């Protein structure tokens, strides 16, 4: 298959890998925060918040991620918002993944028995206390499985950022292809790196599932 | 009845419902309900299923909204959903048929949570109160367990401890023993009897006629969304006035 990791290519590979990890981790964090907030909106008693949550989810979940990247990278500067492309990528990925997180959490919220929320409200808890103390912790535990799918998809989705000059793993592939290395060799290593990341995310969720299982 | 001994400070009724109406769609589940519950009184609501007794109980802390009429607790009308209502709910303990213990929290945490989050009591003090209450309901040894590890009767006693931890002015029991195996009913009723004996104001929806006889000050018989009969337990069980009550009692007492 020939040599790939010569002339500093290994460093490029490593940098690309780390950039993908950084991009995915930051996006995962913001997607989780945003998704939780959106889910709270969607079950809120305030109609305006519910509408906002619904519109957000339907907009970002139904937009192809590449189109969303175009909109963020070329649209936001026109509105006077200027960031580097890495930040734009985090924004696009978080907005997109957040809508999936929201829907997964919301389905979890619907599995929590209504009596749990009634008991919390009867104790005098406010809506947000009921949600954060009683409903969401139980909802999150029941949806760890589907949630892991969302977060396994995230590092792979982040490859689109490579097309917007963020020097992550996919971008490494483009560089190597331009330098004339064998396409199968390049893709083998890039794929292996993504596989490794996905396996790590899956392991984290497996750990959480055994750790946080709720007996009912 | 013993209400002739009430003092001035407790002369005003604690819970007042006046002209309360509620519909579930076309079904008129509460029809012009007027009810006053005095401090320290134990009121038992009985009646056939679908008579509205659970709904009535749940309107008192506004888990069910009402269509018309007024409900006040300790002189204050029930506010609309929001912080004020949450504050008032903290004063009203609620025990459910299905226990509704927080499944992801230990028994101790179940009793601590409301104190810390709602009453803003410091954790060490809240835990002390929780341990004392668990001791009182006979479950001190189970503090570290999760609800699913307990029997139904034990869970319901924890639920009572959780409600008591808020130091409520009145306790609502919505069929607290209906989901229990027969041998566990008494352990829950014992806790409720001791509460009644200590002067807790209680509204109890139940099918336990023995409890109604021994612990209630007043029995309300409901049918078709109305309070059909209201009497002392002794008078109600020995000489029911209405045909509905006679019919109901004959069905549940003679088999």
């Amino acid at each position: 298959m020939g040599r790939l990791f010569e002339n500093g290519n290994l460093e490029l590979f490593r940098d690309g890998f780390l950039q993908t990890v950084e991009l995915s981790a930051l996006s995962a964090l913001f997607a989780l925060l945003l998704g939780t907030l959106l889910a709270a909106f969607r079950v809120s008693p305030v109609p305006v918040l519910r509408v906002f949550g619904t519109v957000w989810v339907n907009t970002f979940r139904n937009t192809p991620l590449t189109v969303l990247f175009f909109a963020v990278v070329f649209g936001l500067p026109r509105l006077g918002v200027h960031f580097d492309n890495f930040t734009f990528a985090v924004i696009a990925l978080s907005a997109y993944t957040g809508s999936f997180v929201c829907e997964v959490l919301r389905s979890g919220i619907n599995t929590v028995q209504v009596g749990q929320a009634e008991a919390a409200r009867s104790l005098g808890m406010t809506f947000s206390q009921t949600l954060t103390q009683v409903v969401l912790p139980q909802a999150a535990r029941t949806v760890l499985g589907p949630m892991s799918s969302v977060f396994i998809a995230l590092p792979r989705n982040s490859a689109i950022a490579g097309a917007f000059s963020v020097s992550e793993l996919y971008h490494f592939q483009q560089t190597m292809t331009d330098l004339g290395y064998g396409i199968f060799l390049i893709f083998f290593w890039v794929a292996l790196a993504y596989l490794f990341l996905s396996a790590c995310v899956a392991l984290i969720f497996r750990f959480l599932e055994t750790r946080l299982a709720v007996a009912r | 009845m013993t209400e002739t001994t009430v003092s001035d400070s407790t002369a005003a009724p604690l819970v007042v419902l006046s002209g309360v109406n509620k519909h579930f769609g076309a079904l008129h589940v509460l029809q012009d309900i007027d009810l006053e519950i005095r401090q320290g009184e134990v009121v038992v609501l009985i009646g056939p299923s679908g008579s509205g007794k659970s709904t009535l109980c749940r309107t008192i802390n506004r888990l069910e909204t009402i269509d018309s009429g007024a409900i006040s607790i300790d002189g204050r009308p029930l506010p609309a959903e929001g912080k004020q209502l949450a504050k008032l709910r903290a004063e009203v303990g609620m025990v459910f048929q299905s226990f509704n213990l927080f499944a992801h929290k230990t028994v101790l945490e179940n009793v601590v949570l409301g104190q810390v989050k709602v009453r803003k009591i410091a954790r060490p003090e809240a835990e002390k109160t929780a341990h004392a209450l668990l001791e009182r309901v006979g479950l001190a040894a189970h503090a570290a367990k999760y609800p699913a590890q307990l029997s139904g009767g034990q869970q319901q006693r924890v639920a009572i401890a959780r409600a008591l931890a808020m130091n409520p002015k009145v306790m609502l029991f919505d069929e607290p023993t209906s989901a229990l195996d027969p041998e566990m009913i008494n352990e829950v009723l014992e806790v409720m009897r001791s509460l009644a004996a200590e002067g807790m104001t209680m509204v109890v929806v139940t099918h336990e006629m023995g409890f109604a006889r021994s612990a209630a000050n007043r029995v309300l018989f409901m049918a078709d969304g109305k309070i059909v009969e209201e009497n002392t337990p002794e008078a109600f069980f020995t000489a029911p006035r209405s045909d509905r009550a006679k019919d109901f009692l004959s069905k549940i007492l003679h088999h």
Side-chain angles (χ1 to χ4, degrees), chain A residues 39-204:
Chain A
F41 281 6
R42 292 209 68 177
V43 298
S44 141
V46 184
V48 178
L49 295 182
R50 281 205 302 275
V51 169
F52 179 86
T54 309
V55 169
W56 182 291
V57 166
N58 284 321
T59 306
F60 288 97
R61 197 173 54 159
N62 298 340
T63 308
L65 189 52
T66 313
V67 175
L68 186 58
F69 263 89
F70 270 108
V72 168
V73 173
F74 300 111
L76 285 184
R78 291 196 171 202
L79 299 171
V81 181
H82 298 280
F83 288 119
D84 55 29
N85 274 15
F86 179 82
T87 310
F88 277 139
V90 171
I91 292 173
L93 279 169
S94 305
Y96 179 78
T97 311
S99 66
F100 286 90
V101 171
C102 164
E103 287 306 275
V104 168
L105 266 182
R106 194 168 65 92
S107 77
I109 288 171
N110 291 337
T111 68
V112 179
Q113 285 170 7
V114 66
Q116 295 282 314
E118 284 188 348
R121 287 157 69 209
S122 294
L123 287 177
M125 289 194 200
T126 59
F127 174 77
S128 57
Q129 283 177 327
T130 301
L131 205 57
T132 57
Q133 298 294 323
V134 175
V135 177
L136 275 178
Q138 293 186 55
R141 284 162 163 87
T142 61
V143 296
L144 281 172
M147 196 67 94
S148 73
S149 302
V150 172
F151 284 107
I152 283 171
L154 178 56
R156 293 182 281 133
N157 287 338
S158 77
I160 293 175
F164 292 85
S165 52
V166 175
S167 44
E168 44 72 84
L169 263 178
Y170 187 75
H171 196 259
F172 165 81
Q173 172 271 324
Q174 287 175 317
T175 311
M176 292 301 107
T177 307
D178 290 347
L179 289 174
Y181 289 98
I183 193 88
F184 287 111
L185 185 62
I186 301 166
F187 271 88
F188 172 76
W189 285 104
V190 170
L192 202 65
Y194 280 117
L195 191 66
F196 174 74
L197 280 179
S198 303
C200 286
V201 176
L203 270 177
I204 291 171

Side-chain angles (χ1 to χ4, degrees), chain B residues 108-182:
Chain B
L108 184 72
E109 281 301 313
N110 264 276
V111 187
V112 163
L113 191 67
Q115 299 184 67
V116 171
K117 295 294 169 189
V118 178
R119 294 284 196 215
K120 312 291 180 199
I121 292 169
R123 177 160 282 273
E125 199 190 326
E127 286 189 4
K128 215 173 129 195
T129 308
H131 279 298
L133 284 167
L134 288 173
E135 178 84 51
R136 174 180 172 170
V137 298
L139 292 170
H142 301 276
K145 290 187 181 170
Y146 283 87
Q149 295 170 282
L150 302 183
S151 73
Q154 290 171 327
Q155 289 191 53
Q156 195 60 298
R157 285 185 281 152
V158 174
I160 294 173
R162 175 176 69 178
L164 288 177
M166 305 304 288
N167 203 10
K169 288 178 179 149
V170 52
M171 289 276 287
L172 310 175
F173 294 84
D174 184 8
E175 303 205 23
T177 58
S178 298
L180 296 177
D181 291 338

Side-chain angles (χ1 to χ4, degrees), chain B residues 36-233:
Chain B
E36 293 192 351
I37 298 162
R38 286 173 297 276
Q39 177 95 47
E41 196 179 17
V42 177
V43 173
V44 165
L45 287 170
I46 63 173
S49 63
S51 59
K53 53 195 192 306
S54 274
T55 308
L56 177 62
C57 184
R58 288 162 56 87
T59 59
I60 296 176
N61 69 350
R62 211 172 183 278
L63 281 182
E64 298 287 352
T65 54
I66 56 175
D67 299 336
S68 65
I71 299 175
S72 68
I73 293 173
D74 210 8
R76 283 177 298 170
L78 277 187
E81 200 74 40
K83 289 233 156 53
Q84 287 306 311
L85 179 64
K87 217 169 176 176
L88 198 127
R89 277 190 180 131
E91 311 284 329
V92 182
M94 179 97 190
V95 176
F96 300 87
Q97 179 177 355
S98 48
F99 328 133
N100 295 345
L101 290 179
F102 304 133
H104 62 305
K105 300 230 176 248
T106 63
V107 164
L108 184 72
E109 281 301 313
N110 264 276
V111 187
V112 163
L113 191 67
Q115 299 184 67
V116 171
K117 295 294 169 189
V118 178
R119 294 284 196 215
K120 312 291 180 199
I121 292 169
R123 177 160 282 273
E125 199 190 326
E127 286 189 4
K128 215 173 129 195
T129 308
H131 279 298
L133 284 167
L134 288 173
E135 178 84 51
R136 174 180 172 170
V137 298
L139 292 170
H142 301 276
K145 290 187 181 170
Y146 283 87
Q149 295 170 282
L150 302 183
S151 73
Q154 290 171 327
Q155 289 191 53
Q156 195 60 298
R157 285 185 281 152
V158 174
I160 294 173
R162 175 176 69 178
L164 288 177
M166 305 304 288
N167 203 10
K169 288 178 179 149
V170 52
M171 289 276 287
L172 310 175
F173 294 84
D174 184 8
E175 303 205 23
T177 58
S178 298
L180 296 177
D181 291 338
E183 75 268 26
M184 292 168 186
I185 289 175
N186 257 327
E187 63 192 57
V188 172
L189 291 182
E190 271 317 307
V191 171
M192 290 168 61
R193 275 197 193 93
S194 77
L195 268 181
E198 285 167 24
M200 175 61 79
T201 310
M202 294 163 63
V203 178
V204 185
V205 177
T206 188
H207 297 293
E208 293 302 319
M209 299 305 144
F211 175 82
R213 264 178 193 272
S214 63
N217 300 112
R218 191 156 43 126
V219 172
L220 303 183
F221 176 74
M222 283 189 77
D224 303 323
K226 298 190 192 95
I227 297 175
V228 176
E229 195 163 337
E230 183 173 348
N231 218 329
T232 61

